[in-house]
Amino acid sequence: MTPLITRRGFLKGGAAGVAGAALLGAAGCGAESASAGSALSVWYWTGSISDTLLGNVQKKVGVKLEPQKIGGDFKSKFMTSLAGRSYVPDITGINSDVATYFPDADQFVDLRKFGADKVKDQYLDWKWQQGVANDGRMIGFPMDTGPTALYYRTDIFKKAGLPTDPAEVEAHLGTWDDYLAAGKKLQAAIAGTCIASATVNDIFDQVMAQSSKQYMDRQNHFIGDQAHVRNAWDISVKVIKSNLTAKTVSLTADWNAVMTNGKVPCFVGAVWMKNFLGPAAPKTKGMWRVCRAPGGAGNSGGSFLGVTKYCKRPEDAYNAIRYLESTKNQAFSYQDINLFPSTPASYKDPIMRKPDPFYGGQVTVDIFGSAAEQVKPFYFSPYDDAITPAYATELGNVESLGKDPDQAWNDCIGQIKRTLQHTGVI
């Protein structure tokens, strides 16, 4: 799916996720289906599955579906249905926080029972592994991904004496330190220029999106106080001290303005930012390009499909999912609703290789496809949603209140450990 703006923002309310997992564990047997007849119910959210493809399933696979587009807080509604064993969908969309369901993996069908492993090599391995719970049960079938890249304005880079060709920019801005140096050069050429479109949390999130380790390991040990997270923190602090963040709220009129007037001529973001940048800054059409992000490949966002254990016909549900998420149909979904495939073979499909006028005719799949294939395998734990808000809060205190960065770091780690102790994780 296309996250609203950041993974952290979309997955806010992480503590509720931990509580929800415990709630499911106390549920009893038996459930009322979300569909009344023979059709299999599918819960999804706007933009997560092509309506055209959903409409083709019965003709192509012989499985009748009853799609139900769920608005509002999708996760809460799904968790409530599971906990109450009432109106539970047969098939459900699952966001990139799939790990929050791992403690209740037995509420889902293990998709390996229907031959999922036979098509594993068609999907990005790191994406496939994210849908596999710690007990080996595969509860999430790969849908889209969110590979990241550097978006930049050629007209402003040229004015600042920076390269403009994507290959040259990529070579010039290979590291985050290079990116900061370029930001200072942009500031010297054009006062007030920034390299983060909203707050410093954009930088922290993107550095972490490139890391092979996150906040917990698979043995539920907290590792969010280790060097890989401190590195993301320190880079973020450098950006704050250099006054290189625009301090806008993403997807607001202010954000649209800084993307149009050149105050933010570059930022690191996921492929789904293309959906927002064009409509936000139509007057800049043709001026933007993308290239590999400083620091390397990363991923932000993406989603899965799962089959609940209450599904009336789980094999039919799996066959429907396989159709929806085939290589051909993932390429179609990119064209139809801008979902970036988790199937590398799709990147060669002609419908994904059309030059994009907003990016000066660049074939952007070359950049995002390469990034998707280079993402390092990483593990999101069931507790990340409860952990990550502390980093955002304390970095915000450094950025907006001038809090000492080391004190903010210590306060952040202390808060996280208390949260994990209260939930019995550590």
Side-chain angles (χ1 to χ4, degrees), residues 330-345:
Q330 287 216 15
F332 176 83
S333 295
Y334 177 77
Q335 180 188 43
D336 190 32
I337 53 175
N338 295 315
L339 297 181
F340 199 83
S342 55
T343 45

Side-chain angles (χ1 to χ4, degrees), residues 7 18 96-103 134 214-218 220-221 378-387 420 425:
R7 178 177 182 277
V18 174
S96 56
D97 61 340
V98 60
T100 60
Y101 298 101
F102 286 175
N134 290 341
Q214 296 295 310
Y215 308 101
M216 303 284 287
D217 64 19
R218 283 190 177 270
N220 283 339
H221 299 137
F378 57 97
Y379 171 65
F380 283 138
S381 83
Y383 312 103
D384 285 12
D385 291 353
I387 291 171
L420 293 175
V425 179

Side-chain angles (χ1 to χ4, degrees), residues 177-234:
D177 282 341
D178 292 337
Y179 191 52
L180 262 70
K184 293 176 181 176
K185 193 168 184 177
L186 284 161
Q187 274 190 337
I190 309 169
T193 305
C194 300
I195 61 172
S197 60
T199 70
V200 74
N201 289 304
D202 288 354
I203 299 292
F204 182 83
D205 287 341
Q206 294 303 334
V207 177
M208 287 303 299
Q210 298 171 343
S211 175
S212 61
K213 295 187 291 185
Q214 296 295 310
Y215 308 101
M216 303 284 287
D217 64 19
R218 283 190 177 270
Q219 289 71 47
N220 283 339
H221 299 137
F222 176 60
I223 57 173
D225 56 353
Q226 295 185 5
H228 63 287
V229 184
R230 183 65 198 227
N231 176 58
W233 179 278
D234 289 343

Side-chain angles (χ1 to χ4, degrees), residues 36 56 97 111 127-128 138 170 172 190 202 205 213 223 270 274-275 327 348 370 374 393 405:
N56 290 341
D97 61 340
L111 300 174
K127 177 73 177 182
W128 188 275
M138 182 184 181
E170 179 178 308
H172 191 75
I190 309 169
D202 288 354
D205 287 341
K213 295 187 291 185
I223 57 173
K274 290 179 63 180
N275 302 343
T327 297
K348 299 176 183 176
S370 176
Q374 295 177 41
T393 297

Side-chain angles (χ1 to χ4, degrees), residues 18-331:
V18 174
L23 182 63
L24 289 183
C29 299
E32 188 175 357
S33 173
S35 64
S38 61
L40 299 180
S41 57
V42 182
W43 277 20
Y44 67 119
W45 55 88
T46 299
S48 61
I49 307 176
S50 164
D51 290 324
T52 301
L53 292 177
L54 283 170
N56 290 341
V57 169
Q58 185 170 8
K59 180 180 178 181
K60 297 292 186 180
V61 189
V63 177
K64 186 177 181 180
L65 299 181
E66 186 177 298
Q68 298 174 24
K69 195 171 291 184
I70 306 299
D73 190 336
F74 183 95
K75 182 177 178 180
S76 292
K77 292 178 180 177
F78 176 60
M79 297 289 273
T80 299
S81 76
L82 274 181
R85 304 293 174 99
S86 180
Y87 301 105
V88 181
D90 296 293
I91 302 171
T92 184
I94 301 174
N95 213 320
S96 56
D97 61 340
V98 60
T100 60
Y101 298 101
F102 286 175
D104 301 291
D106 62 352
Q107 299 295 304
F108 294 85
V109 169
D110 184 352
L111 300 174
R112 297 175 304 172
K113 292 181 178 178
F114 303 106
D117 281 343
K118 294 179 182 176
V119 297
K120 179 181 177 181
D121 61 356
Q122 297 176 22
Y123 296 81
L124 294 164
D125 183 65
W126 62 266
K127 177 73 177 182
W128 188 275
Q129 294 302 328
Q130 286 186 344
V132 179
N134 290 341
D135 65 358
R137 184 185 299 258
M138 182 184 181
I139 68 169
F141 196 92
M143 293 176 68
D144 62 308
T145 64
T148 62
L150 174 67
Y151 293 71
Y152 66 96
R153 286 265 299 265
T154 54
D155 56 327
I156 297 176
F157 267 39
K158 183 178 182 180
K159 190 173 182 179
L162 292 168
T164 58
D165 179 77
E168 294 177 4
V169 174
E170 179 178 308
H172 191 75
L173 303 181
T175 68
W176 284 99
D177 282 341
D178 292 337
Y179 191 52
L180 262 70
K184 293 176 181 176
K185 193 168 184 177
L186 284 161
Q187 274 190 337
I190 309 169
T193 305
C194 300
I195 61 172
S197 60
T199 70
V200 74
N201 289 304
D202 288 354
I203 299 292
F204 182 83
D205 287 341
Q206 294 303 334
V207 177
M208 287 303 299
Q210 298 171 343
S211 175
S212 61
K213 295 187 291 185
Q214 296 295 310
Y215 308 101
M216 303 284 287
D217 64 19
R218 283 190 177 270
Q219 289 71 47
N220 283 339
H221 299 137
F222 176 60
I223 57 173
D225 56 353
Q226 295 185 5
H228 63 287
V229 184
R230 183 65 198 227
N231 176 58
W233 179 278
D234 289 343
I235 290 171
S236 302
V237 171
K238 288 179 183 178
V239 173
I240 294 172
K241 290 184 175 179
S242 299
N243 197 27
L244 287 168
T245 63
K247 300 182 181 66
T248 67
V249 176
S250 297
L251 308 188
T252 63
D254 287 344
W255 188 84
N256 294 352
V258 299
M259 300 314 246
T260 300
N261 64 23
K263 180 171 182 175
V264 178
C266 55
F267 65 93
V268 177
V271 62
W272 41 264
M273 286 301 296
K274 290 179 63 180
N275 302 343
F276 303 111
L277 182 58
K283 294 180 180 179
T284 63
K285 179 180 178 179
M287 300 174 183
W288 292 89
R289 301 290 186 278
V290 292
C291 70
R292 186 186 65 194
N299 182 78
S300 178
S303 50
F304 302 82
L305 280 172
V307 179
T308 68
K309 66 179 290 186
Y310 311 103
C311 178
K312 295 184 285 289
R313 300 190 306 281
E315 186 167 6
D316 282 354
Y318 172 74
N319 290 335
I321 288 174
R322 274 289 300 127
Y323 167 76
L324 291 168
E325 303 308 328
S326 69
T327 297
K328 178 181 178 182
N329 284 337
Q330 287 216 15

Side-chain angles (χ1 to χ4, degrees), residues 8 200-201 204 233 236-237 240 387-416 418:
R8 178 183 300 161
V200 74
N201 289 304
F204 182 83
W233 179 278
S236 302
V237 171
I240 294 172
I387 291 171
T388 52
Y391 298 102
T393 297
E394 289 298 338
L395 275 175
N397 288 338
V398 176
E399 183 175 30
S400 60
L401 303 177
K403 187 172 181 176
D404 176 74
D406 289 332
Q407 183 61 53
W409 170 263
N410 291 334
D411 291 346
C412 171
I413 299 303
Q415 179 183 336
I416 292 170
R418 286 192 295 276

